[in-house]
Amino acid sequence: MALEDICGFTDTPVHAKWFPTSLFEDSISSIHLTDNCTFGLRKPKKSEGNGGIPMDFFIPTLPNSASFNHRPLPSPPAKYSAMVRRPFPLSHGTTTLGFVFQGGVIAAADTRASAGGLVACPAVHKITPIHSHLVVTSSGSGADCMLWERILAREIRLYQLRHRRRLSICGTAKLLSFMLHPFKGTEVCVALTLCGWDKGVTAATNSGPKLIYVCSDGARLQGDVFSVGSGSPYAYGVLDRELRWCLSKEEAISLAREAVFRATHRDAYSGNNVDLFHITAQGWSRRAREDLKEEYYRDMKRREKVAEERKRLIK
């Protein structure tokens, strides 16, 4: 049971205005957003671009608490009212990718977290499972990505509890885009790639692999291959050359691993290890984390074999 249902918020006339029916999917169901970001420090805000949906927490009506409910909320100090800017620009870098093939969806990413010229952490997780058939690759600000992944997982779980079915991948991408759009033009830096498999529970959703890119300005793109981050140009070079629909599972895994390796070889902000997920109709499976130096040694052996074959042909 969701919090709004417990507090009786769904029975109020305000609920129908803020949360219209069929907001994210072509069905008679509705989604109730519970995300709020100001934590009651200001008066309730409404987003003009999102149908007047409030962006603050709701305080439920409590018995014998009229003075509490109508008490004015404290205003933040003046020195914190404006956004505090960093004293110096902080560069971000990463390499994440995802592509669709006949065996499902492959998601891969490196594990280096960088802060300018500093390697902040060599073993972060840039691929996050949301539920059994959906994982998300993240690039951008580490704190922002972690926050929005948790918000997305919460909203999908609440939707499942209310409607007793899981939100589709396309509906999930639309929900995430809807929530991120009010932050367009701010310093929020989030770029998530949704890699999943829809079971096609309703007539409006098609079953099969889905790959959708959503960024912090609300943009939402669906495709068969995406690579995001500072190392993405190098990863695209490998993917555009080798990617085919008829790849086997082993070939797809090897291609994703090589694409991340080539990107980390040229991009200073990516490196250390590679994480890889394979999503099918049965759910996602994760391969053991591999050190990229092992891929380097495998590449050296391949080059030695090619050189030996050329020598034999010359003789």
Side-chain angles (χ1 to χ4, degrees):
M1 184 64 69
L3 182 60
E4 298 98 317
D5 300 332
I6 296 175
C7 299
F9 179 70
T10 56
D11 299 330
T12 62
V14 182
H15 179 272
K17 176 183 177 182
W18 283 341
F19 303 106
T21 305
S22 303
L23 188 59
F24 300 105
E25 289 190 315
D26 297 331
S27 64
I28 61 174
S29 304
S30 62
I31 294 178
H32 318 299
L33 292 178
T34 59
D35 175 49
N36 305 284
C37 304
T38 60
F39 299 97
L41 294 179
R42 303 178 180 88
K43 294 183 179 180
K45 293 183 179 180
K46 293 182 180 180
S47 174
E48 298 296 335
N50 293 333
I53 293 179
M55 298 174 62
D56 294 284
F57 280 113
F58 299 107
I59 301 178
T61 304
L62 302 176
N64 301 323
S65 61
S67 60
F68 173 80
N69 289 332
H70 297 286
R71 183 177 59 185
L73 296 175
S75 300
K79 63 179 180 179
Y80 295 113
S81 59
M83 182 179 295
V84 179
R85 297 192 176 275
R86 304 184 185 96
F88 54 89
L90 197 61
S91 302
H92 305 286
T94 185
T95 300
T96 65
L97 62 89
F99 60 84
V100 179
F101 71 110
Q102 66 172 357
V105 184
I106 293 291
D110 73 306
T111 64
R112 175 177 294 179
S114 58
L118 172 69
V119 178
C121 180
V124 299
H125 294 274
K126 298 182 182 180
I127 306 179
T128 305
I130 302 298
H131 58 69
S132 61
H133 288 73
L134 174 63
V135 301
V136 173
T137 68
S138 58
S139 59
S141 172
D144 292 340
C145 290
M146 292 173 64
L147 171 65
W148 283 103
E149 287 169 355
R150 293 180 65 181
I151 292 174
L152 182 63
R154 180 194 64 191
E155 294 298 334
I156 292 177
R157 181 56 178 161
L158 288 175
Y159 182 94
Q160 187 175 8
L161 290 173
R162 291 189 188 100
H163 305 288
R164 298 184 180 180
R165 63 182 178 88
R166 188 179 296 131
L167 185 61
S168 67
I169 307 299
C170 293
T172 301
K174 190 172 184 180
L175 170 63
L176 180 60
S177 173
F178 184 86
M179 292 190 297
L180 284 172
H181 187 267
F183 299 93
K184 182 178 181 179
T186 66
E187 292 190 358
V188 174
C189 183
V190 178
L192 305 179
T193 304
L194 281 63
C195 311
W197 189 286
D198 269 335
K199 289 188 175 182
V201 178
T202 63
T205 58
N206 297 322
S207 61
K210 294 291 190 300
L211 188 68
I212 306 177
Y213 167 77
V214 182
C215 65
S216 51
D217 62 357
R220 176 166 48 99
L221 303 173
Q222 183 172 355
D224 294 330
V225 55
F226 284 109
S227 182
V228 187
S230 56
S232 60
Y234 312 107
Y236 270 126
V238 177
L239 294 174
D240 291 342
R241 183 188 64 194
E242 302 292 340
L243 182 59
R244 303 184 307 276
W245 172 258
C246 58
L247 290 175
S248 64
K249 176 183 175 180
E250 290 73 19
E251 291 174 336
I253 291 174
S254 177
L255 173 61
R257 189 173 54 206
E258 182 181 359
V260 174
F261 164 68
R262 297 297 180 187
T264 57
H265 186 68
R266 294 292 182 183
D267 178 37
Y269 301 104
S270 305
N272 295 101
N273 307 289
V274 57
D275 286 332
L276 196 145
F277 282 71
H278 181 211
I279 306 97
T280 63
Q282 288 71 40
W284 58 262
S285 60
R286 179 182 179 181
R287 287 179 58 88
R289 175 173 287 185
E290 297 184 42
D291 195 326
L292 284 169
K293 67 181 180 182
E294 300 298 332
E295 181 64 26
Y296 173 77
Y297 294 139
R298 281 192 290 264
D299 180 64
M300 294 299 294
K301 290 181 180 179
R302 286 194 297 265
R303 292 186 179 185
E304 290 177 0
K305 289 181 180 180
V306 171
E308 291 177 358
E309 290 179 358
R310 288 179 178 177
K311 289 180 180 179
R312 291 177 183 176
L313 292 175
I314 292 175
K315 291 180 179 179

